[in-house]
Every structure is written in structure tokens, then in C-alpha cells.
């Protein structure tokens, strides 16, 4: 499997996901500003991957300012954290990682810039390493839920490319296959940016896991025909009541899954659960440029003059989600009572 991101010679290299699957190339970043731009423009995307990249953005900002006087260093590092926080609004992993980096900085008190930069780089490496371990753990928990021989539908890309490695939703499927199960995957293309067609299908083909690509609007018909046994997706943010915010289209697939009595699983690390928000409606939903809907790349197909909406994410109410699959285990999400998710995260 190709690396989503790697550290070399004082820079972070991010696989350019805008060009996949046709071209495999890496964008190198050397500052918080360049990492923030890579996140904003979706060189790198997927909630956990954005968090890991942002952590490196903070470390890079510290490293490039480490020869400055402490006050200048602190001002530049604070500005770097702010720039990164403004790159994308919905995936909470970004803010989780920035907060973790800020706490490392604060805990170092009066340490000098060099010392702070060294610790921040160590922390970014730790966040990346832990992300892979977490995905392997949640993969093991989730694999137990997937029956041998199942046809499993997934939406968007919650694979290795959306994380530091292994993936969340695809991590569950990878772990199931590694454990000896035979399964096939239905990947929705995921309009408008086609993360399913370009990224999920590519990851699975590379690994020899059978994958069938469909347009987003085919899901209901395939479910009705009995061609899908379960649905599994990732998440960008889960509120304290279990509401899930994920790639636009997820809600429709969840409604269809309930209609057809299919389990609808959400695989995510605990860092995606935002206990500070009571419900999914409180999550900021990114509205992206309408040109992403009008066409793709240089090709424009939409009628000139039509208004366009382009919310990048939607909200799936907790009662439609059969279970959340995390590194700590599986939570039945449909009948969450007050504080249950909070107790699970804290316990
Ligand atoms: O806009 P994207 O590509 O960053 O959106 C990604 C998704 O919605 C994924 O499904 C989600 O982040 C889960 S990734 C493990």
C-alpha cells in the first residue's frame, strides 16, 4: 500500500489525492501555511488524515521558527495553529490534533524554541503512529460484525488514504479479509469529488479485494435486489448523542439501509467523537465551491446560470446507525440514552 503521508528531510510529504488514481505524486510541505493549503485544497482529505497532517503543520512551523527569539517564535506558532484551524471546518480530528499539539507546547512552560520544536515533532510522529494502531484495533472489533461472504457497501473513502494507514471503514474490511473472510465491496462513486470511484476503488483493486463501483443513486435499487448485506462508512464528527456527520450522501444510504433491514455501521476513532456538541445539528457543515458540482477538473457539464448547492457533509441521526465501531469496541448507537456515549468514551 502506498503511504498517505511520510516525513523526510524535515518536510512532510502528502500523497496528492486530487490526482489519484491516474498519477501518484507527493506534495511536500514545510510550514503550517503550506499544510493548511494542502488540507483546504484537498491534496489530503479524510478526517484522521487531516488531523495527522495538521499536527505536522504545527511541528513544521515550530521547526522553521526555532532560531527566532522566544516571543517571535510563540507568535508565529500561534498564528500557524490559527491558519491550520481555518483550513476545513467539519472533521473534528483536525481540532483534536491541534489541541493536542497546543497542550504539548503549553506543558513545556518556559522551554526554549528548539526544545519545543523537538517535542512537537515527536508528538506529530506519535499521532501518526497511533492512528495506524487505532485503525488496526477498530478493524479487529469491526471484523467480527462482517459475515463471511458478505457484500458490503461503503460510501466516500474511509480507507488508508483517509488516515495514516489501514483506514477506518475499509480498515474493518481489510481486517475481516486478513482474518480469512471472503467478502466483496460495493463502492459508491461519491459525487461530486468521486472519492469512492477514484480512491476507495483504487485501494481495493490494489489489494485484490473484489470491488464493484456504482453511482450513488444505484444504492437503493441494489439493496432492494438483495445485492447488499451491510453498509459501513467512516465519520467526520460524531456528536454526544450519537448523531453522525459524514460525507454528503451518507444520510440517504442510512435511510435506505433501515428501509431494507440492513445493518448500517460507522467506523471511527474516539478522536472523531465530539462530546462538546450535544447533537449533529451543532456540527458546522462545509459548503464547497459550486464548480465541484458543475463539472470535474477542466470539464464543465452544468447548464450556465443554474444555481448550485454543494454541502460536503450531511447528518445521519443516531437512530439510523446500527453501531459505532471504535478502537475501544462497538457501541449500539440506535438506542443511546443520555450520557451513554460519554461514559463509553471516558470508561
Ligand atoms: O471531504 P473528505 O474527502 O475529506 O470527506 C471524507 C469523509 O467524509 C470520510 O468518509 C470521513 O472523513 C471518514 S474518513 C476515515
Amino acid at each position: 500500500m502506498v503511504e498517505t503521508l511520510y516525513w523526510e528531510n524535515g518536510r512532510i510529504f502528502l500523497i496528492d489525492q486530487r490526482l489519484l488514481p491516474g498519477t501518484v505524486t507527493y506534495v511536500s510541505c514545510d510550514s503550517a501555511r503550506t499544510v493548511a493549503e494542502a488540507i483546504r485544497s484537498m491534496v489530503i482529505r479524510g478526517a484522521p488524515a487531516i488531523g495527522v497532517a495538521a499536527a505536522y503543520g504545527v511541528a513544521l512551523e515550530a521547526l522553521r521558527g526555532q532560531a527566532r527569539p522566544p516571543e517571535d517564535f510563540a507568535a508565529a506558532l500561534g498564528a500557524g495553529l490559527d491558519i491550520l484551524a481555518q483550513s476545513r471546518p467539519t472533521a473534528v480530528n483536525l481540532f483534536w490534533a491541534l489541541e493536542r499539539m497546543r497542550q504539548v507546547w503549553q506543558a513545556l512552560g518556559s522551554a526554549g524554541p528548539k526544545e519545543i520544536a523537538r517535542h512537537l515533532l515527536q508528538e506529530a510522529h506519535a499521532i501518526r503512529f497511533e492512528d495506524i494502531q487505532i485503525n488496526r484495533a477498530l478493524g479487529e472489533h469491526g471484523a467480527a460484525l462482517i459475515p463471511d461472504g458478505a457484500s458490503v457497501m461503503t460510501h466516500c473513502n474511509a480507507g488508508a488514504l483517509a488516515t495514516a494507514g489501514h483506514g477506518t471503514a475499509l480498515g474493518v474490511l481489510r481486517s475481516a479479509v486478513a482474518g480469512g473472510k471472503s467478502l466483496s465491496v460495493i463502492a459508491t462513486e461519491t459525487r461530486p469529488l468521486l472519492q469512492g470511484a477514484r480512491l476507495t476503488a483504487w485501494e481495493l483493486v490494489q489489494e485484490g479485494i473484489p470491488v464493484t463501483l456504482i453511482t450513488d443513486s444505484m444504492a437503493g435499487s441494489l439493496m432492494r435486489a438483495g445485492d447488499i448485506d451491510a453498509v459501513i462508512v467512516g465519520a467526520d464528527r460524531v456528536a454526544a448523542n450519537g448523531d453522525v456527520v459524514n460525507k454528503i450522501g451518507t444520510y440517504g444510504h442510512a435511510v435506505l439501509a433501515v428501509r431494507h433491514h440492513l445493518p448500517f455501521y460507522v467506523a471511527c476513532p474516539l478522536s472523531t467523537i465530539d462530546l462538546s456538541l450535544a447533537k449533529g445539528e451543532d456540527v458546522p457543515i462545509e459548503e464547497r465551491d459550486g464548480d465541484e458540482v458543475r463539472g470535474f477538473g477542466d470539464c464543465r457539464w452544468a447548464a450556465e446560470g443554474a444555481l448550485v448547492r454543494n454541502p460536503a457533509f450531511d447528518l445521519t441521526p443516531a437512530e439510523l446507525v446500527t453501531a459505532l465501531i471504535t478502537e475501544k469496541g462497538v457501541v449500539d448507537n440506535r438506542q443511546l440514552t443520555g450520557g451513554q456515549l460519554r461514559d463509553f468514551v471516558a470508561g
Side-chain angles (χ1 to χ4, degrees):
M1 196 66 226
V2 292
E3 297 244 56
T4 306
L5 71 177
Y6 65 90
W7 177 261
E8 200 173 274
N9 296 330
R11 286 168 173 245
I12 190 73
F13 289 79
L14 311 173
I15 194 165
D16 192 340
Q17 302 195 25
R18 299 167 304 181
L19 304 179
L20 289 173
T23 305
V24 180
T25 182
Y26 285 80
V27 169
S28 96
C29 299
D30 60 0
S31 63
R33 191 184 51 75
T34 50
V35 171
E37 178 52 25
I39 295 172
R40 194 201 59 73
S41 64
M42 295 182 67
V43 166
I44 189 154
R45 35 62 55 201
I50 292 173
V52 176
Y56 277 106
V58 177
L60 283 163
E61 201 57 35
L63 287 166
R64 68 201 287 269
Q66 62 184 335
R68 293 168 130 186
E71 271 178 22
D72 294 358
F73 170 82
L77 193 50
L81 279 155
D82 290 346
I83 290 170
L84 286 158
Q86 285 154 22
S87 56
R88 287 189 78 188
T90 303
V92 74
N93 309 62
L94 171 72
F95 307 101
W96 171 88
L98 293 178
E99 185 51 32
R100 186 161 151 177
M101 297 299 278
R102 190 190 296 276
Q103 277 176 18
V104 167
W105 178 18
Q106 275 170 4
L108 287 166
S110 59
K114 261 201 162 128
E115 183 73 354
I116 293 170
R118 192 171 62 78
H119 277 87
L120 288 175
L121 180 59
Q122 265 175 13
E123 193 68 8
H125 288 327
I127 289 174
R128 174 164 58 116
F129 177 73
E130 284 168 25
D131 185 58
I132 300 171
Q133 303 304 108
I134 285 168
N135 294 335
R136 291 197 185 283
L138 73 80
E140 287 301 316
H141 291 302
L145 301 171
I146 308 294
D148 190 23
S151 163
V152 185
M153 190 180 98
T154 189
H155 184 61
C156 193
N157 173 264
L161 290 165
T163 64
H166 198 64
T168 55
L170 292 195
V172 168
L173 302 182
R174 280 197 170 96
S175 295
V177 170
K181 287 181 180 164
S182 131
L183 50 88
S184 56
V185 180
I186 306 272
T188 56
E189 65 177 353
T190 318
R191 285 276 294 135
L193 291 183
L194 307 175
Q195 289 94 330
R198 297 187 302 105
L199 309 177
T200 296
W202 186 66
E203 279 193 30
L204 294 172
V205 166
Q206 283 200 331
E207 239 160 289
I209 298 177
V211 56
T212 303
L213 183 63
I214 61 169
T215 67
D216 300 340
S217 54
M218 294 174 189
S221 178
L222 267 68
M223 287 182 191
R224 190 157 186 274
D227 293 341
I228 295 171
D229 301 310
V231 183
I232 186 163
V233 297
D236 288 83
R237 206 184 290 222
V238 177
N241 67 346
D243 285 352
V244 170
V245 171
N246 191 49
K247 179 52 55 195
I248 190 76
T250 302
Y251 172 54
H253 296 320
V255 171
L256 285 166
V258 169
R259 171 74 176 83
H260 295 284
H261 311 291
L262 300 175
F264 186 91
Y265 299 119
V266 172
C268 66
L270 294 177
S271 55
T272 300
I273 300 175
D274 184 354
L275 295 173
S276 75
L277 299 184
K279 54 190 190 317
E281 284 85 357
D282 299 336
V283 177
I285 302 286
E286 178 181 14
E287 183 91 25
R288 293 185 64 84
D289 195 318
D291 280 352
E292 293 178 351
V293 176
R294 291 186 185 96
F296 193 83
D298 292 334
C299 176
R300 289 282 170 276
W301 52 67
E304 285 292 329
L307 300 176
V308 171
R309 287 290 310 273
N310 189 16
F313 302 96
D314 63 21
L315 189 181
T316 299
E319 75 256 24
L320 302 184
V321 178
T322 310
L324 290 181
I325 302 166
T326 77
E327 67 270 34
K328 238 185 181 180
V330 175
V331 195
D332 183 334
N333 206 52
R334 284 163 303 186
Q335 285 156 11
L336 278 181
T337 51
Q340 205 177 312
L341 191 52
R342 199 174 293 278
D343 290 348
F344 174 79
V345 171

